[in-house]
Amino acid sequence: MEPGPDTLRKVLAQERALGFQDKAMIGGLDAFLERWRETKPEGLTIPESYKGLGVRERRQWIEGALATLEGAPAAIDKKVDAKPVSKPRHSNKTPSKPKPAPKEDSPDLDSPVTALKGVQEATAKRLAKLGVTTVRDLIYLFPNRHMDFRAMNPIAELTPGEDQTTTGSIWEASVVRLGPRRQGSKVIIGDDTGTIEIVWFNNTWLGHSLKPNQQIAVGGRVRVFRGQKVFENPEYEVLSDKASTHTGRLVPVYPLTEGLYQRMLRNLMRRTLELCIGKVSEFLDAGLIRRRGLMPIKQAIARAHYPEDEEVKERARVRLAFNELLLMQLRVLARKREWQLGQEARPIRTDEELERRFVESLPFPLTGAQSRGLGEVLGDMGGSKPMARLLQGDVGSGKTVVATGALLQAVASGAQGAIMAPTEILAEQHFQTISVLLGKEPDSLWGNEVVHSFDSALGRPVRVGLLIGDIRQGVKREVHRQIAEGAIDIVVGTQALIQKEVEFRDLALIVVDEQHRFGVMQRAALRQKGASPHLLVMTATPIPRTLALTLYGDLDVSVLDEMPPGRIPIVTMWVKPDQRKKAYEFVREQVQMGRQAFVICPLVEESEALQTRAATKEYERLSDDVFPDLRLGLLHGRLNSGEKDEVMDAFRRGDLDILVSTAVVEVGIDIPNATVMMIEGAERFGLSQLHQFRGRVGRGREKSYCLLLADNPSEEAQERLDLMTRTRDGFKLAEEDLRLRGPGEFFGTRQSGLPDLRMARLTDTKLLTMAREEAERAMESDPYLELPEHRGLVAELERLGGGWSIGGNEA
Ligand code: ADP
Ligand code: MG
């Protein structure tokens, strides 16, 4: 059946809710949009390539498309009138030229900005670049910072290098030439103590319009130019101008875009606030506001623009940040609710005898943390609520064993289990590891089998299957058939698992490894493979609590905070450029002792192709010049999975001494005989990523080493490298990463799902915890937010984009 326009609308709303990351559809939006090219709803254009658009362009297109779709005749809805429209609306009665939007005295918050007096199409376009299309967007466009116009310095006391403000009367104002092709304005002002020059580059208008004897306030950094103090491009206010007199206060400084000027925006904002702030309605209930001592919404918006002082400004920010965090947490909890309340899961009662046999069959005793973790997982699986649990544990903490114990119980109950890995290499490794942990003879490893069948603790043969994109079509079809028939008990795979051709007979448990590579949507898709399966998410990325609440807030958490005993700590060294030769000698010594080494090539941001070229060059250099007598292999993202396997297998078998690789070995690879991890360009990687690389060694009985090379690290990079050598605690490194690089960078570019927070900071633990508690409180008493006191909240959630109904509702 052809999907209707409603599907398109839902998907676009979803994409908006997910932050325009091209994540609303698996594999990206383009394939989906392609279907709409022929039969597109009237007035809609489909971009050549959505993927190719920048986030801002994506946003623009989606907002426009949604406005069009919501106005489309298919969805007759009176509320449409209140929605923003991208174009001026036509009046039915006047068939003549389209009229501009009517100007009102006090426009509705949802009307386009053109409804404001003085805002023409041109200004509206510029505002749109800042994400502002409606009046409401405008009043939510908060200043980047404030200028302090309260503490005025006498001109003689202005100190170079600092942000300061002063007032004076204009002595002289003129347009000047400031370079061969540069013009600007120059103004000299004076007070009782002296004079100072002010220069605005590329602005001739001020030189014309400012007049001698006007009082003016200026604020900005004071510099010294040819021995003279000067203000360059400062903020300013003409003090005689009543409406914009801001002496004695903090003056907002807004983000700008070409053609949009600070003063203009400031005046527009001030007028709009005066006109429209009364229309903003409080959406939190009075009890909550009192309980948490929050500033009411109207006040918070007004004060965020025009605070009396720093304290008021902070209280306003806290209120607005709380809004963002609360809504985010409500979405997260709604996801959990959909997972757990939507359908009942089949309880999988633990077969304790089987569990005991499984644990005893392992070549090592479980750590305390593993036993506890497995206990928590099995406890959840025994209930009729579908499990939604995160198993978090540093690299090498032994998560796979826990997952295997859980999968075994699912199989024992007569159902199927699945485990999904982020890469084919990892899927294949899990395929082998899990089979061996369940009792397969390890000596037949690394064949071409895609189904392992062997006797297990179950007392009957168990069948484990591999499903990755790259296996032969015929073989794949056979695996699909066996999964559908239930002949395969446990399926290990990549995202190939969630393709629509894959149907399970009876899927009861899904394990997702390294979840942060998967979006919420993939999780939802996978879920639909089973009636209402239990979900276990595993991650080795030690996520600080604040981020965990954001990204995984819908999951319960088990932590493996204990390493298997007997691990010898990895020695981490920062190798200075002049010690490179010694480092190579060291690698050679290790190889001569029978060990193996990884060499990671520096990160090349631009493209996979460049990355591959760099890795290939490094491989050739090392093979020809440095280690001509050793056996080297090369691994990069451009190899197809057969080639990757070949290299990995050779390394695993010990047929290679050194594996030169790009970041593809970052997660999960388990080669116990490798003892050296040498990382080139270490300064370009984040701490958490370096920690992941380091976790590739130290997995066997031998002492292992991590060598960090950095040719010209910045001061900040030096700080990071130094920390790497001092701490082995992944959590601490993650916290530090977050602090040093901010949440956007934290997971690298692959990360999705970080909400667009304007006033909130993810490092603001206290406020986040508060928002979490309030969200829980609301949803506990009223899981679907149907009570009258939650009406405002729901409206706000809906207004901010479709995210509210994510989870259960999309079919
Ligand atoms: P993770 O996925 O958490 O990084 P793995 O599950 O890959 O860790 O386990 C790392 C290594 O430790 C594997 O070689 C595994 O066999 C081994 N291992 C797991 N649990 C234990 C344990 N309790 N005692 C000793 N070795 C263990
Ligand atoms: Mg692992």
Side-chain angles (χ1 to χ4, degrees):
M1 203 182 67
E2 268 301 298
D6 212 40
T7 314
L8 179 58
R9 191 182 56 72
K10 273 190 190 154
V11 168
L12 295 184
Q14 175 78 306
E15 172 68 6
R16 176 171 64 183
L18 293 174
F20 310 100
Q21 300 289 319
D22 200 12
K23 289 281 153 73
M25 296 299 286
I26 295 154
L29 244 58
D30 280 319
F32 171 78
L33 291 177
E34 201 47 49
R35 286 192 281 162
W36 293 94
R37 227 177 259 295
E38 299 302 311
T39 59
K40 66 187 177 207
E42 203 184 336
L44 199 70
T45 51
I46 305 281
E48 265 324 297
S49 157
Y50 180 78
K51 190 181 174 157
L53 300 180
V55 169
R56 196 173 278 169
E57 296 162 312
R58 289 177 181 178
R59 181 186 168 122
Q60 250 174 21
W61 177 69
I62 287 196
E63 299 286 4
L66 281 172
T68 309
L69 288 169
E70 275 157 11
I76 297 166
D77 184 350
K78 296 217 177 67
K79 273 189 293 180
V80 164
D81 278 336
K83 294 258 162 68
V85 281
S86 54
K87 311 174 276 186
R89 272 183 290 121
H90 298 222
S91 156
N92 293 339
K93 287 176 197 139
T94 45
S96 58
K97 279 168 81 185
K99 280 198 182 136
K103 306 283 177 183
E104 296 170 35
D105 278 344
S106 168
D108 196 85
L109 292 178
D110 290 313
S111 30
V113 283
T114 46
L116 292 162
K117 230 184 228 130
V119 179
Q120 310 298 339
E121 279 303 322
T123 308
K125 270 199 191 116
R126 290 172 188 139
L127 285 170
K129 287 194 180 147
L130 295 171
V132 171
T133 52
T134 66
V135 173
R136 189 193 308 270
D137 294 340
L138 183 64
I139 62 175
Y140 271 90
L141 179 72
F142 296 114
N144 289 336
R145 60 195 172 87
H146 286 85
M147 287 235 326
D148 196 345
F149 270 67
R150 295 165 307 170
M152 295 288 184
N153 292 287
I155 289 174
E157 285 172 26
L158 293 168
T159 337
E162 280 174 38
D163 255 353
Q164 289 156 98
T165 49
T166 193
T167 59
S169 61
I170 296 178
W171 287 24
E172 185 185 312
S174 55
V175 175
V176 288
R177 191 162 282 289
L178 294 162
R181 311 236 310 275
R182 208 136 85 124
Q183 283 201 320
S185 298
K186 189 166 95 177
V187 169
I188 294 169
I189 63 166
D191 68 3
D192 299 344
T193 68
T195 59
I196 188 164
E197 197 176 287
I198 308 165
V199 176
W200 284 277
F201 295 105
N202 302 325
N203 179 335
T204 51
W205 179 73
L206 282 173
H208 286 302
S209 63
L210 292 175
K211 297 281 177 267
N213 293 325
Q214 274 179 316
Q215 274 301 115
I216 186 175
V218 289
R221 181 155 298 186
V222 178
R223 293 178 205 284
V224 176
F225 180 68
R226 294 193 181 141
Q228 296 273 332
K229 282 186 264 183
V230 59
F231 276 107
E232 283 176 7
N233 299 323
E235 303 294 332
Y236 70 96
E237 293 291 333
V238 176
L239 297 182
S240 48
D241 179 354
K242 184 211 141 257
S244 54
T245 295
H246 302 308
T247 31
R249 60 185 325 161
L250 293 167
V251 178
V253 179
Y254 293 101
L256 298 175
T257 176
E258 208 191 323
L260 210 55
Y261 302 101
Q262 196 59 248
R263 275 176 69 79
M264 187 175 121
L265 189 53
R266 206 183 277 157
N267 286 333
L268 173 63
M269 191 70 85
R270 213 182 153 77
R271 262 196 301 120
T272 310
L273 284 169
E274 273 167 20
L275 209 58
C276 303
I277 192 76
K279 299 202 166 173
V280 175
S281 48
E282 182 57 75
F283 59 90
L284 296 183
D285 76 87
L288 193 168
I289 291 184
R290 218 173 315 113
R291 202 158 53 236
R292 299 301 188 171
L294 293 170
M295 198 182 257
I297 187 71
K298 283 183 210 186
Q299 208 181 335
I301 293 174
R303 295 297 176 263
H305 290 281
Y306 285 101
E308 284 88 355
D309 54 37
E310 291 293 336
E311 196 196 317
V312 169
K313 179 174 152 185
E314 177 60 12
R315 284 196 53 215
R317 186 194 72 82
V318 163
R319 166 60 210 264
L320 295 165
F322 181 82
N323 288 359
E324 294 171 358
L325 295 172
L326 179 72
L327 297 174
M328 175 182 91
Q329 285 303 316
L330 283 170
R331 288 214 170 85
V332 159
L333 289 177
R335 227 145 63 201
K336 180 169 184 176
R337 177 201 65 199
E338 294 304 336
W339 188 269
Q340 297 199 323
L341 291 187
Q343 284 150 303
E344 299 237 310
R346 170 154 36 111
I348 296 174
R349 208 146 298 123
T350 305
D351 178 340
E352 310 220 343
E353 173 56 23
L354 175 63
E355 193 194 351
R356 199 185 51 73
R357 278 206 304 276
F358 167 68
V359 171
E360 275 173 10
S361 75
L362 297 172
F364 41 72
L366 291 184
T367 63
Q370 283 171 319
S371 303
R372 201 171 351 105
L374 183 57
E376 284 164 354
V377 169
L378 295 179
D380 284 1
M381 285 166 58
S384 55
K385 273 190 193 174
M387 166 168 72
R389 185 168 284 278
L390 177 70
L391 180 64
Q392 194 178 36
D394 212 340
V395 271
S397 57
K399 295 180 291 293
T400 320
V401 181
V402 176
T404 308
L407 287 165
L408 181 64
Q409 293 293 339
V411 174
S413 78
Q416 290 167 297
I419 175 164
M420 182 156 85
T423 65
E424 304 208 329
I425 295 180
L426 277 183
E428 289 180 72
Q429 183 176 291
H430 276 321
F431 175 56
Q432 306 296 352
T433 311
I434 288 169
S435 295
V436 170
L437 287 171
L438 288 175
K440 183 181 188 294
E441 282 297 320
D443 42 86
S444 58
L445 277 183
W446 316 118
N448 291 321
E449 290 171 301
V450 291
V451 178
H452 291 154
S453 179
F454 50 93
D455 281 326
S456 66
L458 274 179
R460 67 161 172 93
V462 68
R463 288 168 62 81
V464 181
L466 176 68
L467 191 58
I468 53 181
D470 209 66
I471 53 182
R472 267 206 352 262
Q473 206 51 44
V475 179
K476 202 188 283 176
R477 230 174 286 126
E478 176 59 17
V479 175
H480 287 169
R481 194 182 59 76
Q482 293 196 24
I483 293 171
E485 283 176 358
I488 289 179
D489 300 299
I490 296 174
V491 191
V492 185
T494 52
Q495 299 204 31
L497 271 179
I498 53 176
Q499 308 300 297
K500 67 173 185 306
E501 315 85 72
V502 184
E503 272 171 42
F504 287 82
R505 189 180 63 84
D506 182 12
L507 180 61
L509 170 66
I510 299 166
V511 181
V512 178
D513 196 6
E514 296 301 339
Q515 142 85 15
H516 67 270
R517 304 288 164 91
F518 293 100
V520 170
M521 290 299 286
Q522 278 105 322
R523 221 201 280 164
L526 188 50
R527 175 199 181 177
Q528 276 148 24
K529 298 290 171 192
S532 193
H534 296 284
L535 172 71
L536 178 65
V537 170
M538 306 200 290
T539 179
T541 311
I543 305 152
R545 188 178 150 68
T546 44
L547 265 187
L549 277 178
T550 312
L551 298 173
Y552 303 116
D554 52 340
L555 306 175
D556 299 309
V557 180
S558 295
V559 183
L560 299 187
D561 52 4
E562 185 184 349
M563 283 292 181
R567 293 267 163 81
I568 308 169
I570 301 164
V571 177
T572 304
M573 286 180 288
W574 171 13
V575 181
K576 307 287 154 61
D578 60 337
Q579 301 169 313
R580 177 181 291 271
K581 232 179 113 203
K582 263 170 90 184
Y584 288 140
E585 275 164 31
F586 180 77
V587 170
R588 179 182 296 281
E589 276 165 34
Q590 287 284 311
V591 169
Q592 276 159 1
M593 287 161 67
R595 309 283 92 80
Q596 291 163 283
F598 292 98
V599 176
I600 305 296
C601 302
L603 203 58
V604 184
E605 305 283 0
E606 290 81 4
S607 73
E608 188 76 27
L610 284 179
Q611 181 83 68
T612 297
R613 213 167 62 213
T616 309
K617 250 174 80 187
E618 178 68 1
Y619 166 77
E620 283 164 3
R621 190 181 71 84
L622 290 175
S623 308
D624 297 346
D625 305 341
V626 186
F627 302 117
D629 51 330
L630 302 183
R631 301 163 300 170
L632 276 70
L634 173 64
L635 189 69
H636 58 69
R638 278 285 173 104
L639 298 178
N640 69 34
S641 85
E643 293 165 329
K644 277 184 202 157
D645 284 351
E646 231 164 83
V647 177
M648 281 312 299
D649 289 354
F651 193 55
R652 218 181 296 264
R653 279 194 307 265
D655 293 349
L656 295 172
D657 302 312
I658 297 173
L659 184 65
V660 180
S661 173
T662 59
V664 295
V665 298
E666 180 194 343
V667 271
I669 299 296
D670 191 16
I671 314 277
N673 190 47
T675 55
V676 184
M677 169 58 68
M678 184 170 190
I679 304 168
E680 290 281 355
E683 77 277 14
R684 305 207 194 159
F685 296 102
L687 286 172
S688 291
Q689 212 177 352
L690 290 174
H691 184 63
Q692 290 292 325
F693 288 135
R694 180 165 61 183
R696 297 307 107 225
V697 297
R699 302 173 78 84
R701 264 183 277 283
E702 314 297 334
K703 191 173 176 72
S704 293
Y705 304 85
C706 176
L707 310 179
L708 306 170
L709 285 96
D711 279 341
N712 197 7
S714 66
E715 222 163 275
E716 189 232 89
Q718 293 185 28
E719 197 185 321
R720 283 194 282 139
L721 295 177
D722 188 50
L723 193 69
M724 272 303 290
T725 63
R726 284 186 286 114
T727 181
R728 263 177 271 140
D729 181 342
F731 272 91
K732 199 163 157 205
L733 290 170
E735 292 279 2
E736 214 38 38
D737 234 4
L738 189 59
R739 191 181 67 78
L740 289 169
R741 304 198 305 164
E745 292 267 310
F746 181 73
F747 288 104
T749 46
R750 276 167 298 207
Q751 178 50 33
S752 65
L754 279 175
D756 174 23
L757 299 177
R758 289 197 257 179
M759 300 301 266
R761 308 183 190 111
L762 280 174
T763 41
D764 200 344
T765 321
K766 240 176 74 192
L767 196 58
L768 187 58
T769 309
M770 188 161 129
R772 173 72 171 193
E773 284 166 8
E774 290 298 341
E776 274 168 354
R777 185 179 177 128
M779 301 234 346
E780 237 157 61
S781 62
D782 182 15
Y784 291 93
L785 301 185
E786 291 158 327
L787 295 177
E789 67 256 38
H790 293 145
R791 215 165 275 153
L793 264 186
V794 171
E796 194 68 8
L797 281 162
E798 279 170 354
R799 189 177 67 70
L800 291 178
W804 178 235
S805 52
I806 296 184
N809 296 358
E810 89 256 346

